[in-house]
Amino acid sequence: MLTVSVSGAWRRAASSDLRASSLPWDALQPLNHTGSACWRIAGRADRRAAAVPWARVPSQDIGRVGAWRNTRQQDRPADTVPWAWVPVRDAGLSSGWDQSILIADVRLRLIYNPKPARKDVGVAASHRRVNEFGPRYNAQTALEDSLYVPGSGALLFEFGGRPYFPSTSPQVFFDFRYVPATPVIQPTDMRTARVGWQSATRLNRSAWMPWGRARQVDGVLTDMPYVDYPGPVKPLPEPPPDPEILDTYMIANTVNLVVLPSRTPIEAKNVRVGLDADSFSWSFSADIFTQAALDLVRPDAEGAKTVELDINGWKWVLLVERYSRQLRFPAEAYSISGATRPQLLAAPYAPLRTSLNSAPINAAQAAEAELLNTGFVLVWQATDWTFPAGALSYQGQTAMQVIARLADTVGGVVRPARDTDLVEVVPRYPAPPWAWEDVDTPISRIIPPAMMTELGGEWTPQPAWNACYTSGTSHGCSMLVRRAGTAGDNPTPDVFEDWLTDQPANQARGIHELSKSGNIEIVSTTIPLFPFTDDHGVGLVLPAQLCRVPEPSGAWVGLCLSVDISAEGTGAVRVKQTIKLERHH
């Protein structure tokens, strides 16, 4: 590192001084000499070299300037912020109430000068503890016990064993008074409303249901998503298809009667088969021609013979229970009659039983228990209810009698199958008559007037009942069932039934009794029995089914009470179906 120190006074330097003050150092290298500069006034030429000329910005810089133009539409969604609800996670930033204020924080006191007047001090109520468990205070008796009630004479005071008589002008006056103490408040309902700890009372012991096989009661699920209803969805019943209306109907009727299991054909005529709502099996009758045919079907020591009847594809499996014959020279006549297989559950085939339930049981379970080990299957579609222990009792009855009584208790009927060992228990009225015009009414058949060959009616009016009182006897409950929208001032005769042991049963029975009231017409009509595979006809109408009749004067709904099918003649027979409908006006 080189340090140079030069000092001197202010004066004009002589040219010789410049040389004397030169440093005794070796001459600089030529390349360093070029980098030295002397102090002097800059020439004008130096100014021009250092000056920066004014000029335009080169044209290439213009390309960097952004021109003004309208914003493209696609740029807007990227910059916009949509309105939306605050996310749920922001709720976690809220602070809850707690004991966060410390005693050290309460240090700031504001002194008012002048102090405000304490206006509310006079109305402030002091807090005292009430006397919950003390003796009951009675103001009247407490005053009588504490005060001395003097007599009519003068008071006599004794001081020091001698009587005291006040002077007429005493210096001291005595003032004797009694100030009762303010009693402590006592709750008035402390003793009467006291609740003790104990186990809850078991009120629903009769509603216990034993474990059994579950039954589907919601129908076929639609698998439709409902955001506000997580439960199963029961779809509305689909209305039956409208029959095809034609100018002429050509039906090739077929009637076949064979013996089972050999399937030997039997020639028969005047075949009739029918069912009504109060029967639990189809009835059957036919005429046969020869003794040989009678020997194939008449009952013997092994029991009743079984035959199969086929009418236009509709089949019935029947038991031949009775037969008759008339011989008159030169002609002979034979007839047979019987019923479908559910007749085996009644007398004289089924044994008599006596039973008493020892545990709570449902009506459907009780009916299924009657068919145990019989080969029959029960489908319960009527109202179900519970029997408490000891409520379901009967003596000397067959299985079908018990099932029919269970169905009749809630206004149901027993509807047997035609060719299988199946028994259905359905309500006689699928819907109350006043609701037959609703959209969700389960209509089973549509009978157009164009298909009717006969039509008749019978007017059978009934009282306009609007209320029904139902009750059990030794078990169960009682209920007044009133039709909605009415005063309930015209009740039916009271219904007392031993097996009305639960509220659903009472309600169903009351609705059934009210459904039999009003202006009723029994309509009888005859229509063809279309083949089983024909989807354009009416088909077979069963009891307890609702049928819609679209008459030109107005469509109406009727309840099927009975159906009767007849095949008259031999060979190319005429088959017709006669049904009775209950119509409410």
Side-chain angles (χ1 to χ4, degrees), residues 276-439:
D276 59 82
D278 297 323
S279 300
F280 53 84
S281 62
W282 291 78
S283 60
F284 158 76
S285 65
D287 296 337
I288 57 180
F289 295 96
T290 62
Q291 178 69 32
L294 178 62
D295 294 339
L296 293 176
V297 297
R298 66 180 179 181
D300 53 16
E302 297 181 357
K305 299 297 180 64
T306 303
V307 297
E308 181 185 88
L309 175 63
D310 185 347
I311 303 179
N312 292 345
W314 302 89
K315 297 181 180 181
W316 288 265
V317 175
L318 305 161
L319 299 176
V320 179
E321 298 181 300
R322 291 170 297 276
Y323 70 93
S324 64
R325 59 183 176 180
Q326 292 182 358
L327 302 178
R328 182 177 297 177
F329 185 82
E332 56 182 354
Y334 306 93
S335 62
I336 56 176
S337 61
T340 51
R341 286 182 55 83
Q343 185 66 34
L344 296 175
L345 300 175
Y349 306 101
L352 302 181
R353 300 177 179 178
T354 300
S355 177
L356 175 66
N357 66 317
S358 58
I361 190 173
N362 293 348
Q365 295 174 342
E368 292 176 354
E370 297 296 329
L371 301 181
L372 188 62
N373 300 325
T374 61
F376 284 84
V377 179
L378 176 69
V379 177
W380 187 279
Q381 300 181 7
T383 302
D384 198 4
W385 74 101
T386 304
F387 287 92
L392 180 62
S393 62
Y394 58 87
Q395 184 177 4
Q397 295 185 4
T398 61
M400 183 54 69
Q401 285 179 314
V402 176
I403 297 175
R405 184 180 174 185
L406 288 171
D408 186 67
T409 301
V410 291
V413 296
V414 179
R415 190 167 63 189
R418 294 176 288 104
D419 54 347
T420 59
D421 293 343
L422 178 66
V423 177
E424 291 181 300
V425 177
V426 298
R428 180 186 292 265
Y429 293 91
W434 54 83
W436 285 356
E437 300 298 334
D438 295 345
V439 178

Side-chain angles (χ1 to χ4, degrees), residues 51-280:
V52 178
W54 293 91
R56 290 182 174 272
V57 179
S59 59
Q60 58 267 23
D61 296 339
I62 299 177
R64 300 180 182 180
V65 179
W68 292 93
R69 65 180 183 275
N70 294 331
T71 306
R72 291 178 297 174
Q73 186 176 2
Q74 58 266 27
D75 295 338
R76 182 180 179 183
D79 299 332
T80 57
V81 178
W83 291 91
W85 293 100
V86 179
V88 181
R89 59 177 178 272
D90 295 344
L93 301 178
S94 61
S95 58
W97 293 94
D98 57 1
Q99 303 294 333
S100 59
I101 300 179
L102 302 178
I103 300 178
D105 298 334
V106 191
R107 293 181 179 180
L108 179 60
R109 297 182 180 180
L110 299 179
I111 302 176
Y112 288 90
N113 190 14
K115 296 182 179 180
R118 303 177 63 184
K119 299 180 180 179
D120 298 333
V121 177
V123 298
S126 59
H127 290 81
R128 294 184 299 172
R129 182 173 180 83
V130 298
N131 185 9
E132 301 100 333
F133 308 104
R136 196 67 185 171
Y137 175 79
N138 191 336
Q140 182 178 0
T141 57
L143 186 61
E144 294 177 355
D145 297 339
S146 302
L147 292 181
Y148 167 74
V149 181
S152 58
L155 297 180
L156 180 61
F157 296 93
E158 293 185 357
F159 295 99
R162 290 184 299 179
Y164 168 75
F165 298 98
S167 62
T168 57
S169 58
Q171 296 181 355
V172 178
F173 291 90
F174 296 94
D175 186 6
F176 297 95
R177 66 179 62 183
Y178 173 75
V179 180
T182 303
V184 181
I185 299 176
Q186 291 180 320
T188 57
D189 56 352
M190 196 64 189
R191 300 182 184 274
T192 58
R194 183 176 299 175
V195 179
W197 292 93
Q198 61 181 3
S199 300
T201 306
R202 299 181 179 180
L203 300 177
N204 296 327
R205 294 180 63 90
S206 60
W208 287 357
M209 299 172 58
W211 292 95
R213 184 178 179 84
R215 296 185 300 106
Q216 183 176 353
V217 296
D218 290 328
V220 181
L221 301 183
T222 59
D223 295 333
M224 298 176 60
Y226 286 88
V227 295
D228 55 348
Y229 176 66
V233 178
K234 183 177 181 180
L236 295 177
E238 296 183 0
D242 294 334
E244 186 177 0
I245 305 300
L246 303 176
D247 295 336
T248 304
Y249 296 92
M250 300 294 296
I251 302 176
N253 295 318
T254 58
V255 179
N256 298 318
L257 183 64
V258 297
V259 182
L260 296 179
S262 62
R263 304 194 67 85
T264 303
I266 298 177
E267 188 177 1
K269 64 177 181 179
N270 300 331
V271 179
R272 300 177 66 92
V273 60
L275 177 67
D276 59 82
D278 297 323
S279 300
F280 53 84

